[in-house]
Amino acid sequence: MRTLLSHRPGGPETLLIEERPDIAPGPGEVLIDVHAAALNYPDVLLIQDLYQIRPPRPFAPGSEVAGVVRAVGSGVARFRVGNRVIGTAAWGGLATQFIVPEANCIAIPADMPFDEAAALIVTFATSHYALRDRAALRPGETLLILGATGGVGIAAIQLGKAFGARVIAATSSPEKAALARDQGADATIIYPADLSGRDSQRAVTDALKAEGPIDVILDPVGGPLSEAAVRSIGWQGRHLIVGFTAGIPTPPLNLLLLKGASFVGVFYGDFTRRNPDRRNEYLAEIVALHAAGAIRPHISRRLPLERAAEGLAALAERSATGKIVIEMGAK
């Protein structure tokens, strides 16, 4: 099999394409011939040893793939050779073969394209869990999404509309604002690249307040944008903490007291380990929403495995929109 391996901590340029022996599943495992794999921002952190976990090297980044079952280990009951599936794991996905526990394997319909399937779970599952479970988003509420044209952001736009919310997308350029509207956002706010000054933060807060009280903020960005956004939160609003691509913020906690509001942590990875049954329920909801046409991953780039480092570099530079998918076919 071919795989893209990290032998030492560093950026995407340190990754190497290698040929490795084919692999075989153990008890309770499913071996997938990978047709497509999606990239996510944690992949960039993982190869730099900046993520919560540190796999033993060498390892391949990549946490979500779609393909066809090649073999199953003993004790596997739900899948057989030839099934079309999505597979997820913390790493290992940027390879033409991928082994996952049976519990991390999801059957997909025959008409679901592999590229969309590969891009469906991580960002949509994170946003779905954040909005449905942690925020309990209700129809008619106003949802603000920061960094709205990243993978998590676009998923949140689509899910917010599917849940009946009014969606405001905060983006960093007119082009990204146009994309957010194309994805279903009801309104957009363009924030400046430099938010270090109080005046620029206040301008963002004023623009958000003009859109009315914000019930839920989905925040994968952090940094000074978080403080500007939280100042617009409404009574008993919920600020969902998803990530910190712009740094860890220092928000004014007195605002939460005055608004009766809450900061809510969204750690999807640990949720899946602690609540596997509820995770499976939510994943089934996501697949059903896709089948109904309510959601669809926005794939901005499709690259071969040999150019996967380019895709990871785009994520690191925060220049990517939507999802980047690596197309491999079965090898």
Side-chain angles (χ1 to χ4, degrees):
M1 69 172 187
R2 287 183 303 139
T3 183
L4 184 68
L5 293 177
S6 171
H7 286 271
R8 58 184 175 86
E13 72 283 355
T14 65
L15 301 175
L16 299 173
I17 292 278
E18 295 185 12
E19 291 284 346
R20 290 283 173 126
D22 287 349
I23 50 181
E29 294 180 335
V30 176
L31 172 61
I32 302 170
D33 275 332
V34 177
H35 286 249
L39 304 182
N40 295 282
Y41 188 72
D43 297 328
V44 177
L45 301 178
L46 199 70
I47 62 175
Q48 298 177 81
D49 283 355
L50 297 178
Y51 200 52
Q52 293 98 324
I53 54 176
R54 293 189 180 182
R57 284 188 165 84
F59 70 89
S63 59
E64 57 181 339
V65 310
V68 175
V69 174
R70 180 187 181 97
V72 299
S74 61
V76 172
R78 294 189 298 116
F79 300 98
R80 64 187 182 201
V81 173
N83 286 163
R84 303 172 85 255
V85 296
I86 296 168
T88 62
W91 66 86
L94 290 182
T96 54
Q97 294 179 2
F98 189 45
I99 288 177
V100 298
E102 180 181 14
N104 290 16
C105 208
I106 306 160
I108 58 173
D111 60 351
M112 183 183 287
F114 284 122
D115 58 350
E116 291 188 20
L120 185 61
I121 295 303
V122 170
T123 51
F124 276 95
T126 299
S127 292
H128 181 277
Y129 168 61
L131 299 178
R132 188 193 188 288
D133 190 288
R134 302 298 286 142
L137 181 68
R138 295 182 290 271
E141 289 193 312
T142 296
L143 166 66
L144 167 64
I145 302 166
L146 308 184
T149 55
V152 168
I154 285 179
I157 292 173
Q158 296 183 20
L159 287 166
K161 296 306 297 178
F163 293 157
R166 178 173 181 265
V167 175
I168 302 170
T171 72
S172 59
S173 71
E175 295 77 16
K176 290 181 178 180
L179 173 59
R181 289 192 294 271
D182 287 343
Q183 294 299 309
D186 298 290
T188 56
I189 299 294
I190 300 172
Y191 54 85
D194 183 3
L195 278 171
S196 57
R198 286 294 182 188
D199 289 344
S200 58
Q201 290 184 31
R202 189 175 296 112
V204 172
T205 300
D206 290 345
L208 291 172
K209 285 182 175 180
E211 295 292 337
I214 307 298
D215 298 296
V216 175
I217 300 172
L218 186 134
D219 183 2
V221 177
L225 182 60
S226 289
E227 181 172 340
V230 77
R231 290 183 181 277
S232 70
I233 203 164
W235 174 249
Q236 293 188 338
R238 292 88 77 199
H239 189 127
L240 299 166
I241 303 167
V242 180
F244 309 105
T245 58
I248 298 175
T250 55
L253 297 180
N254 62 305
L255 284 176
L256 300 185
L257 184 151
L258 296 172
K259 299 290 186 71
S262 307
F263 279 126
V264 183
V266 180
F267 188 2
Y268 180 72
D270 211 36
F271 160 74
T272 65
R273 288 185 285 273
R274 294 172 181 270
N275 299 277
D277 291 340
R278 191 142 41 108
R279 177 204 63 173
N280 291 338
E281 174 189 346
Y282 290 171
L283 291 178
E285 290 181 11
I286 291 168
V287 172
L289 285 166
H290 182 276
I295 61 174
R296 183 181 184 185
H298 172 69
I299 300 171
S300 59
R301 296 179 71 183
R302 293 171 175 84
L303 299 169
L305 184 61
E306 290 76 12
R307 295 176 59 195
E310 292 179 30
L312 291 167
L315 291 178
E317 296 160 1
R318 297 171 61 193
S319 63
T321 58
K323 296 285 284 194
I324 298 174
V325 168
I326 308 304
E327 296 185 315
M328 288 178 276
K331 298 291 182 181

